[in-house]
Amino acid sequence: MPYSPKITSVDALPANEAKWIEFQKITWSDQTGTSRVWESASRKTRGKSGVDAVAISTVIRHPSRPASTIVILQYRPPVDAVCVEFPAGLVDEMEQPGDAALRELTEETGFKGKLSFVSPTIVSDPGMSTANMRLATVEVNLGEDEKEPEQQLEDGEFIERVVVPLDELYERLQKYSEEGKMVDARLWHWAAGLHFAKTML
Amino acid sequence: MPYSPKITSVDALPANEAKWIEFQKITWSDQTGTSRVWESASRKTRGKSGVDAVAISTVIRHPSRPASTIVILQYRPPVDAVCVEFPAGLVDEMEQPGDAALRELTEETGFKGKLSFVSPTIVSDPGMSTANMRLATVEVNLGEDEKEPEQQLEDGEFIERVVVPLDELYERLQKYSEEGKMVDARLWHWAAGLHFAKTML
């Protein structure tokens, strides 16, 4: 990276200037029949599939190395930090979520794999936004001497991929956090569930 | 529930009417030195701790029943569905996240427990919002004949709590999803990590 990304200004965004997101005022009738108001944010980019985004939990198997997954590191302006996330991306207008998962994994990490599972539609922050997603599981089987593939990033995308043994994932995320990186809540929860199974059950 | 909650209207929300959330236009300089714009949503309620919200992964241990966790079911207007989530809530202005976790767990589920871990600050949807949170782990030890405590809901809160054996959590979330409920992405990821450890490692 030739330059460190940095924020130069933050301004209020008038609704009529917003291109990617929008606000709704939702009027709803609650369980007592009382009319109430809820404020919500939405993405404007949701396509035919009805799903905003996909994330990918990858399992890389190799004859002589421990089972691993891939996380990506990228600067995210809303939180002004390098974030640690599962590979992920928006689903295109006419695309199916499973296809988006394989496409994004290859673009962001170079790896090609076999889709083994796609979750139902799940909601990212339902107290505040309509944002939804699916979590795909992709299996990658590497040969003993197979080289790591090249990423296929678009111009203006700066994404670092890191292959992490599954046994080290939780500790690695803690370390990233101590270094000032921001771990995505969904990736953290996945790693915490894995860690919990190993240590508390 | 005497009435089913329902949405009566959805309108565009002008920025100057929004009380709980706001939009930012972030101007930033990227890794090539190019000036770019990112649109983001924020909560207006963040307090001294710098953390918007906490969620709680509870572990209930009982002498003769399987180790369990608690999920809550509540209608969420942004996604117009009953959502399945870990107990969670906003951190009050002067509150610490760990205290908020114990308070919310008792309010939403009645259970009191011992805080065994609080995650670092993690970000809920960093491509779209500044929203952040911490995930607390709370341990509850029940005696053989101990009764389940009462919830302490505020007026206008309609929250159902469900105690789920950890071994059944992943399948239960799939079932809720099939019934038309929306599973929170963070809870799904936690359960998927747990399930992954049991089946794929």
Side-chain angles (χ1 to χ4, degrees), chain A residues 12-114:
Chain A
L13 175 65
N16 60 3
E17 279 185 31
K19 288 184 190 148
W20 298 89
I21 52 180
E22 61 192 341
F23 274 170
Q24 287 93 30
K25 178 180 172 178
I26 301 171
T27 308
W28 62 294
S29 168
D30 79 3
Q31 292 86 342
T32 66
T34 306
S35 180
R36 299 173 69 179
V37 168
W38 201 282
E39 298 175 0
S40 175
S42 292
R43 287 189 180 277
K44 290 181 161 186
T45 46
R46 189 177 290 178
K48 285 258 179 194
S49 69
V51 179
D52 290 322
V54 287
I56 305 105
S57 59
T58 315
V59 191
I60 303 179
R61 298 185 194 278
H62 182 275
S64 59
R65 282 183 239 149
S68 299
T69 194
I70 310 178
V71 300
I72 60 164
L73 274 58
Q74 67 181 320
Y75 176 79
R76 292 292 205 174
V79 296
D80 190 21
V82 172
C83 287
V84 187
E85 305 168 49
F86 273 139
L90 298 181
V91 179
D92 287 342
E93 166 63 26
M94 300 300 292
E95 200 175 30
Q96 287 305 307
D99 298 331
L102 292 172
R103 174 181 58 72
E104 285 286 352
L105 183 66
T106 303
E107 287 175 8
E108 293 192 344
T109 75
F111 285 96
K112 288 186 206 307
K114 191 175 137 285

Side-chain angles (χ1 to χ4, degrees), chain A residues 21 41 43 76-80 83 124-125 128-129 131, chain B residues 21-24 26 38-43 46 52 123-132:
Chain A
I21 52 180
R43 287 189 180 277
R76 292 292 205 174
V79 296
D80 190 21
C83 287
S124 298
D125 199 3
M128 173 175 175
S129 84
Chain B
I21 52 179
E22 61 192 341
F23 273 170
Q24 287 94 28
I26 300 171
W38 201 282
E39 298 175 359
S40 174
S42 293
R43 288 189 178 277
R46 187 177 290 178
D52 290 321
V123 288
S124 297
D125 200 3
M128 175 178 174
S129 83
T130 68
N132 68 15

Side-chain angles (χ1 to χ4, degrees), chain B residues 115-131:
Chain B
L115 195 64
S116 66
F117 184 70
V118 181
S119 80
T121 301
I122 52 183
V123 288
S124 297
D125 200 3
M128 175 178 174
S129 83
T130 68

Side-chain angles (χ1 to χ4, degrees), chain B residues 58-136:
Chain B
T58 316
V59 190
I60 303 180
R61 298 185 194 277
H62 181 275
S64 59
R65 282 181 241 147
S68 299
T69 193
I70 310 178
V71 300
I72 60 165
L73 274 59
Q74 66 182 319
Y75 176 79
R76 292 292 206 175
V79 296
D80 190 21
V82 172
C83 287
V84 187
E85 305 168 50
F86 273 140
L90 297 181
V91 179
D92 287 342
E93 166 63 28
M94 300 299 292
E95 199 175 32
Q96 288 304 307
D99 299 330
L102 292 172
R103 175 180 59 72
E104 286 287 351
L105 182 67
T106 303
E107 287 175 8
E108 295 192 343
T109 75
F111 285 96
K112 287 188 207 305
K114 192 176 138 285
L115 195 64
S116 66
F117 184 70
V118 181
S119 80
T121 301
I122 52 183
V123 288
S124 297
D125 200 3
M128 175 178 174
S129 83
T130 68
N132 68 15
M133 62 170 292
R134 292 190 179 206
L135 173 65

Side-chain angles (χ1 to χ4, degrees), chain A residues 1-15 17-33 35-43 55 58-59 61 67 74-79 83 85-86 116-117 119-133 135 137 139 155-158 166-167 170 173-174 177 181-198 200-201, chain B residues 1-15 17-33 35-43 55 58-59 61 67 74-79 83 85-86 116-117 119-133 135 137 139 155-158 166-167 170 173-174 177 181-198 200-201:
Chain A
M1 277 185 210
Y3 296 91
S4 281
K6 62 168 187 287
I7 289 179
T8 48
S9 65
V10 179
D11 299 293
L13 175 65
E17 279 185 31
K19 288 184 190 148
W20 298 89
I21 52 180
E22 61 192 341
F23 274 170
Q24 287 93 30
K25 178 180 172 178
I26 301 171
T27 308
W28 62 294
S29 168
D30 79 3
Q31 292 86 342
T32 66
S35 180
R36 299 173 69 179
V37 168
W38 201 282
E39 298 175 0
S40 175
S42 292
R43 287 189 180 277
T58 315
V59 191
R61 298 185 194 278
Q74 67 181 320
Y75 176 79
R76 292 292 205 174
V79 296
C83 287
E85 305 168 49
F86 273 139
S116 65
F117 184 70
S119 80
T121 301
I122 53 184
V123 289
S124 298
D125 199 3
M128 173 175 175
S129 84
T130 68
N132 68 14
M133 61 169 293
L135 174 64
T137 305
E139 300 202 43
D155 273 359
E157 274 192 319
F158 295 86
L166 286 161
D167 269 347
Y170 186 69
L173 297 184
Q174 288 188 302
S177 186
K181 297 184 176 69
M182 280 285 174
V183 179
D184 180 272
R186 293 156 291 189
L187 172 59
W188 180 275
H189 279 67
W190 195 88
L194 190 71
H195 179 74
F196 183 88
K198 290 194 304 183
M200 306 259 297
L201 281 184
Chain B
M1 277 185 211
Y3 296 90
S4 281
K6 64 168 186 288
I7 289 178
T8 48
S9 66
V10 178
D11 300 292
L13 174 66
E17 278 185 31
K19 288 184 189 148
W20 298 89
I21 52 179
E22 61 192 341
F23 273 170
Q24 287 94 28
K25 177 179 170 179
I26 300 171
T27 308
W28 62 294
S29 168
D30 80 2
Q31 291 86 343
T32 66
S35 181
R36 301 173 67 177
V37 169
W38 201 282
E39 298 175 359
S40 174
S42 293
R43 288 189 178 277
T58 316
V59 190
R61 298 185 194 277
Q74 66 182 319
Y75 176 79
R76 292 292 206 175
V79 296
C83 287
E85 305 168 50
F86 273 140
S116 66
F117 184 70
S119 80
T121 301
I122 52 183
V123 288
S124 297
D125 200 3
M128 175 178 174
S129 83
T130 68
N132 68 15
M133 62 170 292
L135 173 65
T137 306
E139 301 201 44
D155 273 0
E157 273 193 318
F158 295 86
L166 285 161
D167 269 348
Y170 186 69
L173 297 185
Q174 288 187 301
S177 186
K181 297 184 175 71
M182 279 287 173
V183 179
D184 179 273
R186 292 157 290 191
L187 171 59
W188 179 276
H189 279 68
W190 195 88
L194 190 71
H195 178 75
F196 183 89
K198 289 195 304 186
M200 305 260 297
L201 280 185

